[in-house]
Amino acid sequence: MNWYYRLSRFTLLLMGLAAGYGLFAGAYVAMYYQVTPNMSGREDRLGSPLLLLYLAIVILSLPHLFLSLWDGRHRLWAQGATRFLAFAGPVFVVMASEGLVSHFLYWQPISHTDQFHLLHHTITAGLPLTILYGLALRRWWPAGFVPQTPPVSKWFLVPAIVITLFLVLALGIMIGLLPLPGF
């Protein structure tokens, strides 16, 4: 097995772990919200590991973006599209779980309370989209698929690493893990 395949499967495993954790933590908050004091503060603390998982998922999917661009440069379109799926799928699932989809699908009137917030995000977006991505990855990146990538040049690798660092910093700031100076 090559590292591309292992990395895409490990990212899928982390996505499944995030969906499972979201279900567990969301159910915990929903069950004990009425009987436990300061449960909304506890919900915020329970959401932090989920954000860390999401950040790890996005970071681990970034190499596939750059390798898909490298494949496109060498006119390996099908292989590049498969690698782009390994990047875009996890990023879309994370973005959709954090609000792109889940905030547009409401369970009136309970969706406006903190009691079902984490569970809502997981059930409406996180879990179904993770399953769909897993099926798509299984279909278009089967176990025997070994990409034939030309060697990556250092002139491509250095900007890719710099862009990756900026994207990781931007993601950390966006989800609140890294504070902006002066704020």
Side-chain angles (χ1 to χ4, degrees), residues 4 66-67 70 74 83 149-158 160:
Y4 318 113
F66 298 113
L67 289 172
W70 187 251
H74 291 282
R83 285 195 179 161
T149 305
V152 178
S153 73
K154 65 180 176 183
W155 300 111
F156 183 79
L157 192 60
V158 170

Side-chain angles (χ1 to χ4, degrees), residues 10-67:
F10 183 66
T11 304
L12 181 60
L13 176 71
L14 287 179
M15 291 168 65
L17 183 64
Y21 178 80
L23 280 175
F24 174 76
Y28 172 76
V29 170
M31 286 189 304
Y32 295 108
Y33 192 81
Q34 301 290 334
V35 295
T36 305
N38 194 23
M39 187 53 111
S40 62
R42 192 173 293 180
E43 180 201 14
D44 292 340
R45 287 191 305 274
L46 286 172
S48 297
L50 194 58
L51 289 177
L52 290 173
L53 276 171
Y54 286 159
L55 184 63
I57 288 166
V58 171
I59 289 170
L60 290 174
S61 67
L62 278 173
H64 294 294
L65 170 66
F66 298 113
L67 289 172

